[in-house]
Amino acid sequence: MPLPFDPAALGGVLPSPSALAVATLALVAAYAIFTLVGFGSAMIAATPLAAVLPVARIVPLLALLDCVGASVRGWRARRRIDRGELARLLPGMAAGQVVGVTLLAGLPANALAVALGLFVALYGLWGLRGGGGTAPAKPLAATWAVPCGLAGGLLGALFGSGGFLYAAYLGRRLPDRDAFRATQAVLMALSTGLRVVLCALAGLIDGPLLLLALCAAPAMVLGVALGGHLDLRLSRERFTRALNLALLAAGAALLAKVGWAA
């Protein structure tokens, strides 16, 4: 049975069925977790996708999917958005994105990635130690919005994964889980939307990549549905624990990625 598209147009040779299955499962898992905690899709899906696609196609592909997924979630929950926290984070996020893109070419990325991975992993461990992730954490001061927004935008531009900093900040500012998720979704939509624009300006987004994103969309939709189903079963305490576990996993994954690259 002929395929409805040219596999070569997707950026590489046709992968084996097993590699394609692993990539699909990775996307489902990535967007289930993305739906639960508002970040993590790139950390989870990038390595399995590398067995199927050239790396240069993965970053813009995930940016497209993240932007669509986060925009849909943000729009559906728009009445729950905390506009005050959004206004505090946005200026730093935008400035961080600009600085990150400017520094991308000459910055010693590996050293920064190691520091980032350690920070995120230790932050997750620290959160879990606070009563095993079940004790309510003390709220952060609003002044933390500036450094968190700036660092999140910077790391998003450099590594495609700065959303955990917004989540770490909002998780300590918004006790309402729906408000947290809606605000985080809008931040991720704006962040990834800017990344999509930058990738398009750099010539990394073309017709074949848009076709690939369309082919990957069912896995994303399934992951979002799975994440929504799991969320209905999570109490506030379990959600906090899941968030801290995701932070720990994100830091470990980044450290492992740097180790593989070395």
Side-chain angles (χ1 to χ4, degrees):
M1 179 177 180
L3 291 171
F5 55 85
D6 177 11
L10 299 184
V13 297
L14 182 65
S16 67
S18 59
L20 200 57
V22 169
T24 301
L25 289 174
L27 283 171
V28 172
Y31 284 97
I33 292 175
F34 183 79
T35 301
L36 280 173
V37 299
F39 70 95
S41 58
M43 290 289 187
I44 296 166
T47 300
L49 286 178
V52 178
L53 294 170
V55 174
R57 306 296 263 174
I58 294 173
V59 173
L61 170 66
L62 292 177
L64 283 167
L65 294 175
D66 284 0
C67 185
V68 172
S71 296
V72 171
R73 289 173 55 236
W75 174 255
R76 287 177 176 174
R78 60 191 180 278
R79 292 182 179 85
R80 299 279 191 171
I81 295 168
D82 190 305
R83 289 174 171 77
E85 297 297 349
L86 194 63
R88 292 185 186 99
L89 285 166
L90 278 178
M93 184 196 75
Q97 289 264 17
V98 173
V99 173
V101 171
T102 302
L103 297 178
L104 187 59
L107 203 66
N110 276 2
L112 184 58
V114 169
L116 166 65
L118 286 172
F119 169 75
V120 179
L122 290 173
Y123 186 96
L125 281 173
W126 176 60
L128 289 171
R129 283 177 61 84
T134 60
K138 295 180 180 179
L140 286 177
T143 51
W144 278 96
V146 175
C148 286
L150 184 64
L154 176 67
L155 298 172
L158 289 172
F159 302 111
S161 54
F164 62 87
L165 283 173
Y166 312 139
Y169 170 82
L170 292 173
R172 300 281 295 278
R173 291 284 300 172
L174 300 177
D176 185 338
R177 188 172 64 190
D178 291 334
F180 163 85
R181 185 170 291 107
T183 309
Q184 173 78 358
V186 171
L187 280 167
M188 292 302 295
L190 293 171
S191 177
T192 53
L194 180 55
R195 201 173 307 137
V196 167
V197 171
L198 294 172
C199 287
L201 291 175
L204 297 176
I205 295 178
D206 51 20
L209 188 74
L210 293 174
L211 176 61
L212 179 58
L214 187 62
C215 293
M220 179 194 71
V221 171
L222 181 59
V224 170
L226 177 61
H229 176 72
L230 293 173
D231 179 54
L232 295 175
R233 300 172 178 269
L234 288 180
S235 64
R236 171 69 189 178
E237 291 75 17
R238 289 181 177 178
F239 173 76
T240 301
R241 185 176 180 84
L243 175 60
N244 286 317
L245 284 171
L247 289 167
L248 176 59
L254 186 55
L255 289 171
K257 183 178 179 180
V258 174
W260 292 333

